[in-house]
Amino acid sequence: MTADLIVINIGILLTPKVDKGPVRGKDMDIVEEYQNAFLAVKDGKFIDYGTHDFQHLVGDDTEVVDAEGRLVTPGLVDSHTHVVHGGSREYEFEQKMRGVPYLDILKAGGGIHSTVKMTREISKEGLYAQSKKSLDFMLGFGVTTVEGKSGYGLELETELKQLEVQRELHENHPIDIVSTFMGAHALPVAYKSKRKDFLDKVIGMFDTVKQRELAEFVDIFCEDGAFDVADSRYLLEAAKKHGFKLKIHADEVVALGGVPLAAHLKAHSADHLMAIDEAGLRALAHSDVIANLLPSTSFYLNSDYAPARKMIERNLALALSSDYNPGSSPSENFLFTLNLAAIHMKMSPNEILTAATYNAAYGIDRADEIGRIAKGYKADFVIYDAPNWPYVLYHFAINHVKDVFKMGIKVIENKQKVWEAKQ
Ligand SMILES: [Zn+2]
C-alpha cells in the first residue's frame, strides 16, 4: 500500500501518549516525541508515522510535503464553544472594564439575554455567514474539530436554527462540529418564578432535536442565577432517557454540586470548574468525566483560573477549550487559550498538548477518531512555523500555525485559506 500524502523532514512530531480512557494526572505530561520524523496518510487517515524508513509507502501518485524541520502536532480540538450566535456585545465591554460582575449584568437583562434577542432576530443566512467567519479564524489557529452549542434561542425555532446552521457548517466547512443542545443555557425573564415550567419546555424540545439528529449532547448552565443542582438533575436525567450524551457548565462562580452530579450521571465533561470544591475533585478523580477548563473566560472576566495543578495532583483528566462566546470569551484564538493555560494555570507544554487534543476529543466522544497522530485516526494535523511546542506557548498571542491539514487535505497554506478554492 502506498500513501496519498507523506510529510517528510518533520523537526519534531508531538502526539499525546494514550493508554486507555482519558489521560489523567501526571500522565498528561508524557507525550510521544519523534525528531526528524515523517507521517503518511491514505484515504484521509494516518497509516504510519515515526522515524523509520518510509520509502515503501511512496508511490507514483504520492504527494510529498517537506516540513523543512518544523513542528507538527495533531489538529487541535476546541471542545467547548458557543460559536453559532447572532451579533456581538462590545457595548457591554465598558461595564465589564468597570468591574460589574457578570451575574449583575445578567440580572439587568443584559449578557446572554441580549445575545438571545440578536440570535432570534438574525436570518439563518446571516447566522451562517457570521459563524463561518468564526470557524475560518479557528481553522487558522490550528483547530480542526469544535464542539458547538445552541442556547441563544431558549425557544424551539431559534434553537433549531442554531443547530441547523451548525450542521450545515459541519458539512460545508473543513472544521468538524460536534453539536450540543443547550436549551437550558439561561432562564428567560418571563419564566423567572417558573423554572420547572421552562425546564419542561426544554425537555419538550428533545424529541424534535433527536428526530432531526441535530445534536448528540445536552448541556445545562448549573450556577447561581441560572439553574440549580435539582434543575440540572431533572433536565439531564430526561436527556439521558432520550439518548443524549451529557455535559454540564458547573462551578464557574459557586460550587453548587453540579460536578458530583456529572460524575453520577456519567457525563462526558464538566466545564469551567474555577470554583471546584473537594467534593467535585473527589468525584472527578473517580470517574472518566473530563474536567474541561476555559482559561480565556477567566482572562476576559478578570476572575480566578481553575486550579489545574491541584487537579493534576488529584489525577483528574483535563481538557482546555476557548469557550468562544460573545459575552465572556469573545475570541476564537485557541492558541491564546493555551498560552493562558501555561502562564496562569502553570500547566506544562506537554499537559497542554494532551488537554487540547486527545482529552478534548475524549470529552466529545471522539477519542477513537481524532486528537492524536496514530494509525487509523483522521489525518488532521498542523505544521507550525516554530521550532518546538514550548516556543508556541512562550511566544504568546502570535499565530504560529503555518499549514493545517484536515483528513490529509491542506486547508490552510502559509496562513492563507486554500480550502474554498479547492471546493
Ligand atoms: Zn459555555
Side-chain angles (χ1 to χ4, degrees), residues 80 82 149 185 249 272 294 323:
H80 180 139
H82 303 258
K149 304 173 198 292
H185 192 189
H249 284 59
H272 279 301
L294 319 173
D323 191 24

Side-chain angles (χ1 to χ4, degrees), residues 15 44 62 75-76 94-95 125 142 145 170 178 181 226 256 310 332 350 356 358 360 374 382 406 408 416:
T15 186
T62 304
L76 304 176
E94 203 184 324
Q95 277 183 298
E125 293 70 32
T145 302
H170 169 69
V178 174
F181 173 53
L256 291 183
K310 193 198 271 184
E332 297 90 338
N350 288 347
Y358 183 76
V382 180
K406 180 68 189 172
Q416 301 301 313

Side-chain angles (χ1 to χ4, degrees), residues 84-394:
V84 175
H85 60 263
S88 54
R89 304 221 296 262
E90 58 277 14
Y91 59 87
E92 256 172 37
F93 189 58
E94 203 184 324
Q95 277 183 298
K96 279 195 172 125
M97 298 303 287
R98 288 203 310 268
V100 180
Y102 176 67
L103 291 179
D104 288 0
I105 294 174
L106 196 67
K107 277 179 193 149
I112 187 169
H113 299 304
S114 58
T115 296
V116 167
K117 187 166 181 288
M118 290 185 275
T119 306
R120 286 177 181 172
E121 285 169 359
I122 196 171
S123 69
K124 198 172 171 187
E125 293 70 32
L127 191 59
Y128 182 97
Q130 179 177 343
S131 309
K132 176 171 174 286
K133 194 172 168 185
S134 285
L135 289 174
D136 283 347
F137 281 133
M138 290 169 161
L139 189 67
F141 288 115
V143 173
T144 48
T145 302
V146 307
E147 183 263 9
K149 304 173 198 292
S150 70
Y152 292 119
L154 310 179
E155 35 80 350
L156 185 62
E157 189 187 344
T158 308
E159 292 288 321
L160 293 178
K161 181 169 76 178
Q162 280 188 274
L163 293 172
E164 281 164 4
V165 164
Q166 258 183 199
R167 177 156 69 192
E168 283 173 32
L169 284 164
H170 169 69
E171 284 162 6
N172 299 339
H173 195 278
I175 291 186
D176 285 330
I177 308 180
V178 174
S179 271
T180 297
F181 173 53
M182 198 176 178
H185 192 189
L187 188 67
V189 180
Y191 285 86
K192 213 168 175 184
S193 53
K194 297 183 286 185
R195 287 219 308 267
K196 174 84 165 28
D197 290 355
F198 182 68
L199 292 170
D200 285 332
K201 184 176 133 166
V202 173
I203 291 168
M205 301 176 197
F206 284 172
D207 277 335
T208 310
V209 173
K210 194 81 201 171
Q211 277 158 17
R212 299 193 197 175
E213 296 177 13
L214 285 170
E216 66 183 85
F217 287 88
V218 163
D219 195 345
I220 185 168
F221 190 39
C222 180
E223 191 62 60
D224 261 358
F227 302 99
D228 64 21
V229 177
D231 297 336
S232 303
R233 178 191 295 270
Y234 181 68
L235 183 110
L236 292 177
E237 280 180 347
K240 203 168 186 175
K241 272 190 202 128
H242 278 77
F244 291 103
K245 299 169 223 174
L246 309 179
K247 292 182 165 288
I248 190 166
H249 284 59
D251 295 7
E252 181 173 355
V253 186
V254 185
L256 291 183
V259 177
L261 177 68
H264 175 72
L265 294 176
K266 295 189 161 49
H268 274 71
S269 70
D271 301 42
H272 279 301
L273 313 181
M274 284 100 103
I276 192 167
D277 61 1
E278 177 58 29
L281 288 166
R282 210 178 313 128
L284 293 189
H286 294 101
S287 73
D288 279 350
V289 181
I290 294 288
N292 198 3
L293 311 186
L294 319 173
S296 295
T297 311
S298 299
F299 173 80
Y300 196 72
L301 299 179
N302 212 3
S303 62
D304 291 339
Y305 288 82
R309 290 266 41 104
K310 193 198 271 184
M311 291 171 163
I312 289 168
E313 257 168 51
R314 298 292 295 272
N315 207 34
L316 270 55
L318 273 49
L320 289 160
S321 300
S322 71
D323 191 24
Y324 171 58
N325 77 76
S328 60
S329 184
S331 173
E332 297 90 338
N333 186 340
F334 191 43
L335 288 183
F336 185 61
T337 301
L338 306 187
N339 293 152
L340 293 171
I343 297 163
H344 285 287
M345 290 168 29
K346 312 297 177 199
M347 289 175 69
S348 76
N350 288 347
E351 289 165 350
I352 289 169
L353 183 80
T354 304
T357 55
Y358 183 76
N359 276 3
Y362 199 92
I364 53 172
D365 201 23
R366 293 292 187 280
D368 53 358
E369 293 177 27
I370 56 165
R372 54 192 292 227
I373 294 170
K375 285 180 192 174
Y377 274 63
K378 280 189 189 174
D380 300 350
F381 60 95
V382 180
I383 301 179
Y384 299 81
D385 190 14
N388 55 58
W389 180 239
Y391 181 88
V392 173
L393 300 172
Y394 142 84

Side-chain angles (χ1 to χ4, degrees), residues 25-41:
K26 58 185 183 342
D27 290 344
M28 290 178 62
D29 200 29
I30 305 165
V31 300
E32 291 182 32
E33 176 173 341
Y34 302 88
Q35 295 181 6
N36 302 316
F38 78 97
L39 64 77
V41 178

